[in-house]
Amino acid sequence: MKVEKLQVDKAVGEVGKVLTEEQRARALLIHALQEIQKAHNYLPEDELKKLSRKLGIPLSEIYSTATFYKQFYFAPRGRNVACVCTGTACHVRGAGDILEAFEQEFGISEGETTEDKSLTLETVGCVGCCGLAPVVTVNEEVVGEVTRERFSEIVRDVRRRK
Ligand code: FES
């Protein structure tokens, strides 16, 4: 989404008729952040500055809102995102070793992206399928019972999708 093309009244819809101008702008903030991230894969500072001017919301408040949610990113992300579950069940079944294996294999730490932008490595508290522990998600795919062999397959797939 181009911030310049954002039409506040149209985006807020009918409910906007009972809102003040400021309320309409604030009602749109999360949606606008989601659209910017969809377009760029993260929230570039320039886009947030434009959004601040467009909505009349101070940049500091935009950052305050965006940093509250884990779903928003402030640096470019990889084309692949591997997320190691470090919840209790996965922790007990070796999540730490899996995380370390990712870090060694790709030369990055949790929360970082490889220089070639092929992979971002993250952790999560629980994916909700503890019976499959240890669990890793790769993009939208859930991989359970991650053994050394499965880890190698994940690495192969990520390198293939470079
Ligand atoms: S703790 Fe890993 S899926 Fe629940």
Side-chain angles (χ1 to χ4, degrees), residues 3-8 50-56:
V3 171
E4 296 84 353
K5 291 185 179 174
L6 182 65
Q7 294 179 323
V8 177
K50 284 184 210 166
L51 186 63
S52 171
R53 285 192 293 273
K54 178 85 179 183
L55 298 181

Side-chain angles (χ1 to χ4, degrees), residues 85 87-90 126-130:
C85 178
T88 305
C90 290
C126 178
V127 180
C129 49
C130 309

Side-chain angles (χ1 to χ4, degrees), residues 7-20 24 27:
Q7 294 179 323
V8 177
D9 289 336
K10 188 178 173 197
V12 174
E14 285 296 305
V15 74
K17 290 178 181 170
V18 297
L19 301 175
T20 65
R24 280 200 299 274

